[in-house]
Amino acid sequence: MQTATFRTEPFTCPSCVKKIENTLPKKDGVASAEVKFNASKVNVEFDENKTTASTIADLITGLGYPVLSTKIS
């Protein structure tokens, strides 16, 4: 398992949080997703054998929240 932190443009409402937190775990390989509303960050734990940080970043961007940077730990 790997953890990635995606920095996005600032979120504007709590529904942004729900949209991301409800959508990402449906992706095969994503174990959990947590949005830090005030920090404009999304922490995602994922199985690197099933998906990549790049794929998850594309998913977040596709939801309407452009990813500005990614940090993998």
Side-chain angles (χ1 to χ4, degrees):
M1 283 288 180
Q2 283 191 321
T3 301
T5 300
F6 303 92
R7 191 169 68 82
T8 68
E9 292 184 353
F11 298 113
T12 56
C13 64
S15 66
C16 303
V17 174
K18 293 286 184 197
K19 188 174 182 181
I20 293 171
E21 288 183 342
N22 289 338
T23 301
L24 292 186
K26 294 177 182 172
K27 171 74 177 160
D28 189 34
V30 174
S32 66
E34 179 184 20
V35 175
K36 303 290 187 185
F37 184 85
N38 291 331
S40 301
K41 292 182 179 178
V42 182
N43 295 328
V44 180
E45 187 177 59
F46 65 98
D47 182 342
E48 64 273 17
N49 294 316
K50 293 184 178 179
T51 191
T52 64
S54 178
T55 299
I56 296 168
D58 289 344
L59 192 57
I60 295 169
T61 298
L63 291 172
Y65 310 101
V67 173
L68 303 176
S69 67
T70 303
K71 181 179 177 183
I72 299 173
S73 54

